[in-house]
Structure formats: structure tokens, C-alpha cells
Amino acid sequence: MDLKTYLSERKTLIDQALECYLPPGNGPGQRVVEAMRYSLLAGGKRLRPILCLAAAEAVAGNVEQVMPVAGALEMIHTYSLIHDDLPAMDDDDFRRGRPTCHKKFDEATAILAGDGLLTAAFEVLAAAATNHPAQASVYHEVVQTIARAAGYQGMVGGQMADLLAEGQPSTLEQVEAIHRLKTGALLTASVRSGALLGGGSARDILALTHYGEKFGLIFQITDDLLDVEGESAEMGKPTGMDAIRQKATYPAVMGVAAAKNQARDLVAAALVDLQPFGERAEPLRQLARYLLVRRQ
Ligand code: GRG
């Protein structure tokens, strides 16, 4: 399979689905819907929904049925980016190649757009569960998995820990703990949800969850490396090792070479998790390898 074609076909399907889940609004909430759509439909790699669909594929599940859950994951991810970009957090002016939500609209609208996307995600999840009453217990577990990964025991808790760690020297254990929550939890939940909805056995779900945990760590290590030497560094962001040292990142605590080795070792281990799934896990296999060579 050709990963580039696979990713672009999946991205097209996901973009079409997102357009349906969040149509243009009218009435008093129109401005906030406009801001939600501005950020949600702005592009992005759609990595979380793609992982969710690929995990369902790995267990021979019905990919189409998984789409609403995949869309909900992207809505939650987009909300986190909108809020992360706010002046009170990372204070970024650009995201996905255009002005951030609060720059395009205003801070209050951006806060509401994030809130709107988070709650809309759970509305989409509830509708999906309603449409599949025979699988109520599976949907229940999916909603619980996603809520936990997004909330204070996952992404929100990780963001808090990251903010508290700013400017403080961190150990490798602390960096790993922050990233497992901040970015790893939602990525892992994406894979796990796909495996659950695809009808995987308990053993399949566990193996794919382990793959998802490794994927989350590799994603974060390579994201940190891109900040040091990738496109974001080339785009003139305040990065490079001096900026990185003040943040809780892998290159800061272990050095660039060791971080690259760690990422490579984790990819090898993630591929072992996928062994039982044979050819069906080829997209997940290639996605893990892709992290090592991505430029954005
Ligand atoms: C505000 C609750 C709250 C959480 C924010 C995930 C997160 C926590 C912040 C994102 C900030 C950031 C840039 C983290 C680095 C890793 C990351 C999540 C990058 C962006 O994800 P991609 O690369 O983005 O999947 P696209 O645009 O492709 O979707």
C-alpha cells in the first residue's frame, strides 16, 4: 500500500464527514459555529481519526461505522489546539497555516469555539451510540475511554502538568509522564476506540492499546525533534536547543541523538504489537514508521 494515497483518501473522507457533523449555523450562535468550523475545517493531518479508522481495519471492522467516533476525536483535538493557542496558554498567532482562532475572531469567541467543539464531539458520540443500540456496551466503553483521555486524567491534566513544569528542570520520567497525558492519551484512545468498535477481541484491544501508547510517545518525541530541527524551526519559531531546554521535551532531557534512538526503538516495539494482525495492520505499521520521517 502507498501511505501517501491512503492518508489523502482517508483525509478526504474525514473532511466530508466533519462538514456533515458541523454544518454552518444560523441564529444567535452563528458566530461561534463560524469559529468552530474555521478551526475544524482548516486542514491538519487528521491523525487521530485516521488512527481510529485504521485500528478498526486491523480487526476487520466496518470502517464506515467508526466515522462518527473518528470525527468526534478530531473535534476534541481541534478544541485543544484552539485553547492551547490562547494568550493564557501558548499564545500562538498561527495554526495550520492560518491565523489562530482568537486572532481571526477574538479571545472570548475562541474560548467558546473550543467549548462548543468539545461538547459537540460528545453529541456526535451520543448520536452514534443511539444509532447502534445492539452495541450499547461497546459505545459506553468508547465514550468512557475518550472522556477519560480528554479530561483531567488525560489531556487536560497533562496540559496542567506541562504548564507547571515550564521553566523548571525536568527529568525524563517527568517529561514522559506529561506527554503520556497531554498528547499520548488522546492518540491511544483513538486507536483503542477503533479496536473496540471494530469488534476486536480482548487480546486485540490490548495489543492495539499498547501500540497506541507507543505511537503517542513516538509522536511526541518526533514533535519535539521537529521543534529543534524541523519545519517549525525553519519557519522562525522561537525553537532550537536554547528554547527547547526551557520546556519539558525529550531532546532537552536526553539530547537529540538519544531522542532519535528512543523513537526508533519505540517504532520497532510498536511493530511487534501489530504482529498478530498481519496484512490488515499495514496502515498502522506504516503510520508508525512515518512518524520517524515526517516534516510536520
Ligand atoms: C488546552 C486542554 C488543552 C490541551 C492542550 C494537545 C495539547 C494540549 C496542545 C497542543 C499543543 C501542541 C502543539 C502540542 C504538541 C503536539 C501536538 C498535539 C501537535 C499538534 O497535533 P497534530 O500534529 O496537528 O496532529 P494537526 O494540525 O495536524 O492536527
Side-chain angles (χ1 to χ4, degrees):
M1 79 165 253
D2 174 48
L3 184 67
K4 218 172 145 194
T5 313
Y6 176 87
L7 291 178
S8 111
E9 284 173 2
R10 282 289 149 98
K11 193 166 143 45
T12 304
L13 286 177
I14 292 158
D15 288 347
Q16 283 166 354
L18 289 172
E19 177 69 50
C20 295
Y21 303 147
L22 190 63
N26 49 37
Q30 186 158 0
R31 182 175 165 83
V32 78
V33 179
E34 212 183 298
M36 289 159 76
R37 282 173 54 88
Y38 172 80
S39 292
L40 184 67
L41 306 176
K45 295 182 288 296
R46 310 304 194 203
L47 208 46
R48 291 145 194 85
I50 288 173
L51 279 171
C52 182
L53 301 175
E57 210 178 337
V59 296
N62 175 348
V63 167
E64 222 169 284
Q65 193 197 312
V66 180
M67 191 58 90
V69 175
L73 287 160
E74 186 66 21
M75 288 175 160
I76 295 172
H77 169 59
T78 306
Y79 124 74
S80 80
L81 297 180
I82 295 174
H83 281 194
D84 187 68
D85 290 335
L86 287 167
M89 299 226 193
D90 247 18
D91 196 8
D92 275 315
D93 292 351
F94 290 94
R95 166 74 62 188
R96 292 174 166 173
R98 35 188 202 158
T100 44
C101 195
H102 66 275
K103 283 280 161 190
K104 172 80 181 170
F105 295 86
D106 55 76
E107 258 184 78
T109 305
I111 292 170
L112 292 172
D115 296 341
L117 281 167
L118 176 61
T119 40
F122 284 92
E123 194 182 339
V124 170
L125 289 173
T130 307
N131 288 336
H132 298 94
Q135 284 171 273
S137 67
V138 172
Y139 277 92
H140 178 260
E141 189 169 350
V142 166
V143 172
Q144 195 175 43
T145 298
I146 295 176
R148 205 168 271 168
Y152 71 96
Q153 299 169 92
M155 186 171 68
V156 168
Q159 178 79 345
M160 185 78 257
D162 199 18
L163 290 171
L164 291 173
E166 216 158 280
Q168 312 271 349
S170 303
T171 65
L172 178 60
E173 288 69 32
Q174 286 163 334
V175 170
E176 201 172 294
I178 290 171
H179 292 315
R180 268 186 199 282
L181 298 176
K182 186 182 145 186
T183 41
L186 197 62
L187 288 163
T188 306
S190 303
V191 177
R192 187 176 170 83
S193 302
L196 280 162
L197 289 165
S201 66
R203 186 185 286 208
D204 290 343
I205 292 161
L206 193 64
L208 289 172
T209 303
H210 288 153
Y211 162 88
E213 287 165 359
K214 293 182 187 86
F215 189 98
L217 286 179
I218 305 160
F219 177 87
Q220 193 55 59
I221 296 172
T222 55
D223 198 72
D224 290 348
L225 285 166
L226 282 172
D227 275 347
V228 186
E229 51 186 23
E231 260 172 23
S232 47
E234 284 159 22
M235 278 161 66
K237 276 199 192 171
T239 54
M241 272 319 271
D242 286 342
I244 289 300
R245 265 188 210 103
Q246 295 157 25
K247 295 193 167 198
T249 73
Y250 285 89
V253 293
M254 60 176 7
V256 169
K260 282 183 181 170
N261 278 337
Q262 173 90 342
R264 273 193 290 266
D265 290 350
L266 280 165
V267 170
L271 297 184
V272 174
D273 291 329
L274 297 178
Q275 261 167 12
F277 302 95
E279 198 50 35
R280 285 202 181 100
E282 196 49 28
L284 289 178
R285 229 169 254 126
Q286 292 207 25
L287 278 162
R289 291 197 194 103
Y290 149 81
L291 291 180
L292 294 178
V293 295
R294 73 194 178 108
R295 302 287 298 154
Q296 54 159 337

